Amino acid sequence: MTRERVSNFEALRLVAIFMIIVHHLVIKSDDSCGYITPWNANEHGYVGLIINSLVVGGVNIFILISGWFGIRTIWTQIFRLVLDCFIYSIITNIICVVFLGVPFEIRSFIHSTLFFNNWFVEAFIMFLLLIPIINAAISVFDNKTFVIALACLTIFNVGFGFCMGKLNINGYNALNFAYLYIIARWLRRMSATRWFGCFAHKGWLIWLLCAVPIVAGFILIASNASWTPSMSQKLFGYNNPFIVMSSIAFFCWFSTFEFQSSLINRLAKGTFGVFLLHTTSLFIPFRSEFFGNIIHQYGYWSLFFSALGLFIICLLISSIIEILKTFAKPYCYLK
């Protein structure tokens, strides 16, 4: 389970974080998928739904990358997550107050720096605590046992979770992360087989086709139910079987690309920083309002360029921070 810097997967990290930014702008700034206000076909249309169905798997893709290479260091990663959450939140807060005109309020300033106020960081830490158990189990699995385990986990995570709303309603948790991690470990084991190659090379097509039932299911249920924002989180949940399949297909498609680029490898080190910079609680209201005004005035093309601009700015900031961190003693021991 050595972690080599393979550029196609590092490029996938960059693509995945861009997908997450687009997802956030669609559901918050554009508010066209029912996450804030009830979805209405006449008011919101269908374009936002289609875009969201294609990019909502960004978080799943990150977990699949971790599973493909495996995770060995637990406590080091947890320490880095907590420390990075604090560092990037402080920097984002300073930018918000000094340059964006966000009012300074000490309580909200401190609140945003705590890791448990970011659902992803909190869930990932809980997931990391499960890794020793998962790795120990997987190490003794033969192929048949692996398939049986995945079938049981699918019933648990998708059947009881997504379909029946038991325990794991929308996949925003460590249980879904563990599920995806195990899937990726199995895919890595099967990566030399012929069927994996056929599936991976058609991954882009499967990714596109999965958008059809996601959007159709959303429209069908949204048009015939009393709508609440939690329903959008469920229907676009990370354990929706079509979103799981979409994420896997996109991931496997990228696994077929073979190239090396030192530039991409360096830039990819800042992907987690990009996530933290644009999801800090002090910045989210500004992000939603500012980009919402642009999107509503200029349409969905502006959504793409807004997401690209935000991605580039955050990536530049995070790249600088990552370079500076190499000179800091706490990080010298965490490579």
Side-chain angles (χ1 to χ4, degrees), residues 1 59-74 77 124 127-128 130-139 146 150 153 157 174-188 244 248 251:
M1 293 191 297
V59 168
N60 286 358
I61 291 171
F62 269 114
I63 307 303
L64 290 169
I65 296 172
S66 296
W68 182 266
F69 291 99
I71 296 174
R72 289 185 301 173
T73 56
I74 308 304
Q77 285 210 41
F124 199 83
F127 158 65
L128 286 173
L130 297 174
I131 287 297
I133 301 171
I134 296 172
N135 284 343
I138 290 175
S139 66
F146 222 139
L150 283 174
L153 289 171
N157 196 52
L175 292 176
N176 195 56
F177 290 0
Y179 173 61
L180 294 165
Y181 178 88
I182 295 171
I183 289 175
R185 295 305 300 153
W186 178 70
L187 290 172
R188 182 67 181 267
V244 171
I248 292 172
F251 168 83

Side-chain angles (χ1 to χ4, degrees), residues 246-319:
S246 171
S247 306
I248 292 172
F250 195 86
F251 168 83
C252 290
W253 178 45
F254 255 80
S255 74
T256 64
F257 304 153
E258 295 183 5
F259 65 93
Q260 282 298 119
S261 168
S262 58
L263 176 60
I264 288 178
N265 292 352
R266 286 196 299 270
L267 291 175
K269 292 179 181 180
T271 50
F272 186 60
V274 174
F275 175 80
L276 292 174
L277 285 167
H278 93 280
T279 57
T280 301
S281 58
L282 208 64
F283 178 66
I284 290 175
F286 175 87
R287 184 194 75 197
S288 299
E289 181 180 358
F290 178 79
F291 290 107
N293 292 333
I294 294 175
I295 296 167
H296 294 150
Q297 184 173 355
Y298 297 105
Y300 283 104
W301 281 109
S302 66
L303 185 149
F304 171 80
F305 288 110
S306 296
L308 184 61
L310 182 58
F311 167 75
I312 292 173
I313 292 171
C314 290
L315 186 60
L316 287 174
I317 295 173
S318 65
S319 296

Side-chain angles (χ1 to χ4, degrees), residues 87 213 243:
I87 292 172
I243 291 175

Side-chain angles (χ1 to χ4, degrees), residues 194-267:
R194 183 177 179 180
W195 71 262
F196 178 89
C198 295
F199 176 83
H201 282 93
K202 297 294 183 182
W204 64 272
L205 179 60
I206 298 170
W207 169 64
L208 291 175
L209 291 176
C210 282
V212 177
I214 296 171
V215 174
F218 184 98
I219 294 171
L220 180 64
I221 296 174
S223 302
N224 296 278
S226 178
W227 196 256
T228 61
S230 61
M231 293 182 69
S232 284
Q233 286 191 345
K234 176 176 174 56
L235 292 173
F236 280 111
Y238 296 142
N239 61 341
N240 180 322
F242 294 105
I243 291 175
V244 171
M245 179 55 67
S246 171
S247 306
I248 292 172
F250 195 86
F251 168 83
C252 290
W253 178 45
F254 255 80
S255 74
T256 64
F257 304 153
E258 295 183 5
F259 65 93
Q260 282 298 119
S261 168
S262 58
L263 176 60
I264 288 178
N265 292 352
R266 286 196 299 270
L267 291 175

Side-chain angles (χ1 to χ4, degrees), residues 140-179:
V140 297
F141 281 179
D142 56 23
N143 290 341
K144 182 179 179 180
T145 305
F146 222 139
V147 172
I148 293 172
L150 283 174
C152 293
L153 289 171
T154 301
I155 294 171
F156 177 89
N157 196 52
V158 177
F160 284 98
F162 176 78
C163 297
M164 298 178 63
K166 305 292 184 180
L167 188 62
N168 185 13
I169 298 175
N170 54 29
Y172 287 65
N173 51 58
L175 292 176
N176 195 56
F177 290 0
Y179 173 61

